[in-house]
Amino acid sequence: MPGPILRPRRLRRNAAVRSLVAQTSLEPRHLVLPMFVREGTSAPVPIFSMPGVVQHSRDSARAAVAQAAEVGLGGVMLFGIPERKDATGTQAVDPHGILNVAIADAVAEVGDALVVMSDLCLDEFTDHGHCGVLDDRGEVDNDATLAMYAAVGVTQAEAGAHMLGASGMMDGQVGVIRQALDAAGHIDTAILAYAAKYSSAFYGPFREAVDSSLSGDRKTYQQDPANRREAVREALLDLEQGADIIMVKPALAYLDLVRDVRDAVDVPVAAYNISGEYAMLEAAAANGWIERERAIIELLTGIRRAGADIVLTYWATEVARLLPRWG
Ligand code: PBG
């Protein structure tokens, strides 16, 4: 009996041919390292639920940013953990607040060697842990929050951030931040909009990472995991308001939306491989249930294949070191 004529296996027979036809690549420049910088600590503090990730001191953060540049990462995304929190998150607009000094440290360390991004939100800075300020009924007040975001954006730009990660999911946030930046002369400071951000259980470890004081949830502002259409709607709204890059978050349970958004917009698309995704894989690997490095590369490649130009991942520096030996 004659064998099959069409044999897709021909293009899989060895590493050389597989590499020749591989459609998706993973390069250090595609990766952004999220980093936590904690006020008032002189040594890095481990995060129990994210083995291998720490709350940095200012010094260790500088070193990590330098390393990120050295291995060729696309950028870092900085989060701050202040010693004092209050109802409106005033530490976020204090030029001496931890996130703002961490931005300045990072820029002083690496200049333009990589993109220094900062989280533009209030949840790390508010004593109630919400991403915005509350009204007198205790609800998150969208428009009052916008005024704060505008001020935070200008403060971060003044500290030297190249790109602001607007992650609070308030309606109209991108437009208000863009206007405030422009009015203050920061026309070149870019906005990475967390356009489609879902209310996810997979943020769990992050809440430990930033010492979150949230009780309750963010369901009135973050999206419902059941919904697909509104990811594109949110992305288009943010584009109209001046977003430079559109992000989808989380990544793994939302790869359909990464693809939807990639097909719907003409700007770069980012996806955030979040804390719970990191923790799941690390826990399985620690138990010997999964081949750690292979699984990491496969997962990040999958996010790229779904359509993400840029991937935020806690494995960024490690993966950048790993890639040249991979194949
Ligand atoms: C909010 C913010 C969150 C994350 C990044 N920015 C958490 C949340 O919305 O509760 C999550 C990141 C992660 O889980 O890795 N500013």
Side-chain angles (χ1 to χ4, degrees):
M1 215 174 63
I5 292 172
L6 300 178
R7 293 181 186 270
R9 287 184 54 193
R10 287 187 195 113
L11 299 186
R12 296 176 203 143
R13 63 189 295 224
N14 61 32
V17 73
R18 287 194 295 272
S19 160
L20 178 71
V21 301
Q23 279 182 269
T24 308
S25 69
L26 190 61
E27 300 168 39
R29 69 183 182 93
H30 297 138
L31 306 177
V32 173
L33 177 69
M35 292 177 45
F36 306 105
V37 189
R38 178 175 180 153
E39 186 175 21
T41 182
S42 53
V45 180
I47 300 166
F48 182 70
S49 53
M50 300 176 74
V53 180
V54 298
Q55 297 177 334
H56 281 287
S57 67
R58 280 181 68 181
D59 286 344
S60 74
R62 276 185 87 125
V65 172
Q67 262 175 15
E70 205 180 284
V71 301
L73 295 190
V76 292
M77 173 66 80
L78 302 174
F79 294 88
I81 305 157
E83 273 182 326
R84 278 168 296 112
K85 305 185 184 202
D86 57 30
T88 57
T90 49
Q91 283 296 297
V93 289
D94 182 339
H96 303 293
I98 183 64
L99 179 51
N100 300 315
V101 298
I103 293 168
D105 287 348
V107 174
E109 188 68 33
V110 294
D112 290 340
L114 50 64
V115 182
V116 174
M117 310 180 190
S118 50
D119 185 54
L120 200 175
C121 195
L122 291 180
D123 64 313
E124 287 100 53
F125 300 96
T126 53
D127 51 16
H128 45 74
H130 275 295
C131 295
V133 296
L134 306 182
D135 63 19
D136 39 16
R137 289 168 307 151
E139 307 279 335
V140 175
D141 184 335
N142 192 89
D143 298 8
T145 302
L146 294 182
M148 270 305 274
Y149 285 179
V152 177
V154 172
T155 311
Q156 295 183 347
E158 238 119 71
H162 303 129
M163 191 175 285
L164 311 183
S167 70
M169 288 302 283
M170 295 301 124
D171 292 335
Q173 63 184 15
V174 172
V176 165
I177 295 165
R178 182 71 271 157
Q179 267 180 357
L181 289 172
D182 290 354
H186 298 293
I187 54 170
D188 290 326
T189 307
I191 299 177
L192 180 154
Y194 288 57
K197 179 172 179 182
Y198 284 81
S199 177
S200 172
F202 293 96
Y203 300 145
F206 176 93
R207 306 251 164 107
E208 180 196 340
V210 298
D211 295 347
S212 171
S213 23
L214 182 72
S215 62
D217 59 52
R218 306 196 198 288
K219 288 183 184 165
T220 68
Y221 44 107
Q222 297 182 347
Q223 291 167 245
D224 182 342
N227 292 346
R228 180 170 180 182
R229 284 189 302 259
E230 67 176 343
V232 169
R233 179 160 193 255
E234 288 275 7
L236 296 178
L237 285 173
D238 282 359
L239 269 188
E240 272 170 29
Q241 293 169 43
D244 298 286
I245 295 179
I246 294 290
M247 181 135 84
V248 173
K249 177 184 179 182
L252 286 192
Y254 300 84
L255 293 178
D256 53 335
L257 308 179
V258 173
R259 173 49 57 188
D260 284 353
V261 169
R262 176 60 289 163
D263 290 344
V265 304
D266 56 6
V267 297
V269 171
Y272 197 144
N273 170 216
I274 61 162
S275 59
E277 300 168 355
Y278 177 92
M280 279 197 298
L281 193 150
E282 289 291 348
N287 277 293
W289 296 341
I290 201 166
E291 237 181 284
R292 183 175 174 280
E293 292 182 0
R294 252 187 89 194
I296 292 171
I297 301 280
E298 181 176 334
L299 189 155
L300 298 177
T301 301
I303 297 170
R304 291 261 307 138
R305 192 192 62 240
D309 303 287
I310 300 162
V311 184
L312 277 71
T313 175
Y314 300 98
W315 289 301
T317 303
E318 181 187 351
V319 167
R321 291 200 172 113
L322 210 67
L323 284 173
R325 293 186 277 114
W326 205 261

